[in-house]
Amino acid sequence: MNEHIFIGVAWPYANGPLHLGHVAGAYLPADIFARYHRLKGNNVLMVSGSDQHGAPITIRAEQESTTPQNIADKYHQQFIECWEKLGISFDLFTTTGTENHTQVTHDVFLTLLDKEYIYKEKTLQAYCPECQRFLPDRYLEGTCPYCGFTEARGDQCDDCGKPLNPSDLKNIRCRLCSATPQFKSSEHFFLRLSSFQDELTRWVKEQTHWRRNVLSTTWKFLDEGLRDRSITRDLDWGVFVPQPGFEHKRIYVWIEAVIGYLSASKEWAKLQGDDTSWQAFWENGAKGFYFIGKDNIFFHTIIWPAMLMGYGNLNLPYDVPGNEFLTIEGKKLSTSRNWAIWLYDYLERYDPDPLRYFLTANMPETGDSDFSWHEFLRRNNNELVATYGNLAHRVLTFAYRNFNRAVPDPGELDESSQSLLNEAKLTSGAVDKLLYRCEFKGAIKAAMSLAQEANRYLDEQAPWKTIKSEPGNSAKSVYTVLSVLTALKTIFYAFLPFSSEKLHYFLGFDGNVVEQGWTIQDLPPGQKIRQPQPLFVKLDEDIVADETSRIGSLKESKGI
Ligand SMILES: [Zn+2]
Ligand SMILES: [Zn+2]
């Protein structure tokens, strides 16, 4: 039975380049999951897009004396180039700047307004007397009342992750000029979040398959009691509010960003030439997975489900595999302090698969994890090159030279060969189960263990020693390892798509890995092998010192 799998991935703010934390947190796990389900023959729709709106972009535009649109366009283009190079296989990567997105956002807004889940209220908003303007949350800075972090923003504390209201901040100041803001009356729309308390509580109780960190964060909000939240801002940049008197206000960026999952699905459907094809991913038995970092859990397990409940007739999230954070060389990643490794910069100098391998093997699934160049080099050289790449290259080259460029006929398989082939089947089954449950780290470990097993077998059999004296034995062991490689190119495909396609080609198969599906292919004796090349490149020890000193040296960040 084919399943419909919807995959929504956090919308990156188009106010600065992507870094490895973004990749490990959301984009890579989402892509692995999408590729896996495509291999399984399921229908996958994976969408996201640049978040063009919000104060981070207007602040950056003000700093650089340009327009928010220029900033957004620049980074949108860079994001697309990065996805292409890293192999992040979106079905659609759009932006929140489209006419379609505005329409869908207005439809959701007006439906919720009509059902009285949204209401108007006058509130006190921060106003800077120096800058003579209202200050949206991100323009405000102060001390977090929960953890004491002195650079908390008006909407959230980056240190403890709690969502905040500007009035919660102590020692509040304007981020543009440091003046102390006054509070003035301004009318805004509010989402009646409190009215979803019971329904959300019932629903979250049923989500026993969610990760523990996602559940505990969600329960913290529910246990504290949900408060209504303002969903418009005093800004001129963003999706306009479709109500008179709100011409200088915009819909809060987080509200329209989560609606983006729906608007992107509708845009994708239009591009398919079937305006209704999005429905199969949002109704009935379809499952929706949302890949995000842990700082976005609230918006995906509380806000977005509440909006969907209010809107009606669309699927709530099935799972929200929120990842923890990636640290860099043992230190907290920070765009404002320029402590990050930028994705575009990595991809200019290295291949995509080693990064995909490293970040999966160290994925921050249940706790924070660290990226260091030393560990990156070790995993690349000892695991990708020495274990997997070398296995493939040794055997393919040997068969190419000694068995007439073809898969040899193994004759009858002995016990150790049978047992290794059986191990390949078991690994395929185990990785299948782990990937289905979004346990990527465990899945890639199981895959690499099979490559290790195959290496041990190959060293024991040493077909290069028996090729003259016992060519039959030599053929049998070469055939067995080539069969394991046939399994490995499929098992590794979701993680390492570029090298899997190469291996598929060298082994003499036609088409591509996805067309073959998840099932391990038979490897017919006599199949012609194509001239093999190494799958991975060994890296020089020197890169560790060079790359470590490079961190923080690029002036490309200025993240807000
Ligand atoms: Zn805090
Ligand atoms: Zn100011």
Side-chain angles (χ1 to χ4, degrees), residues 351-365:
D351 289 335
D353 276 357
L355 182 64
R356 294 178 64 112
Y357 179 73
F358 180 92
L359 292 179
T360 311
N362 289 289
M363 197 166 272
E365 285 173 1

Side-chain angles (χ1 to χ4, degrees), residues 144 147 157 160:
C144 170
C147 74
C157 171
C160 68

Side-chain angles (χ1 to χ4, degrees), residues 440-455:
F440 306 108
K441 207 168 158 172
I444 205 165
K445 197 174 169 195
M448 194 49 89
S449 301
L450 176 61
Q452 278 158 356
E453 281 296 314
N455 263 319

Side-chain angles (χ1 to χ4, degrees), residues 358-416:
F358 180 92
L359 292 179
T360 311
N362 289 289
M363 197 166 272
E365 285 173 1
T366 52
D368 292 353
S369 67
D370 187 55
F371 178 95
S372 73
W373 282 103
H374 178 267
E375 193 54 15
F376 174 76
L377 180 103
R378 188 191 69 76
R379 284 212 187 257
N380 181 76
N381 288 359
N382 296 358
E383 296 175 11
L384 278 187
V385 175
T387 302
Y388 181 32
N390 201 20
L391 175 77
H393 199 59
R394 277 201 292 173
V395 174
L396 283 165
T397 311
F398 189 76
Y400 193 79
R401 288 189 188 145
N402 295 287
F403 291 99
N404 197 23
R405 304 183 176 189
V407 176
D409 189 335
E412 194 167 341
L413 293 175
D414 61 5
E415 203 186 313
S416 62

Side-chain angles (χ1 to χ4, degrees), residues 128 130-131 135 174 176-179:
C128 179
E130 292 294 321
C131 303
L135 297 173
C174 167
L176 299 175
C177 73
S178 295

Side-chain angles (χ1 to χ4, degrees), residues 143-150 152 156-162 164:
T143 304
C144 170
Y146 300 103
C147 74
F149 181 57
T150 55
Q156 191 172 32
C157 171
D158 274 344
D159 218 42
C160 68
K162 289 241 185 194
L164 300 171

Side-chain angles (χ1 to χ4, degrees), residues 473-487:
N473 269 342
S474 183
K476 176 203 67 193
S477 52
V478 168
Y479 173 86
T480 302
V481 177
L482 289 173
S483 297
V484 173
L485 287 170
T486 302

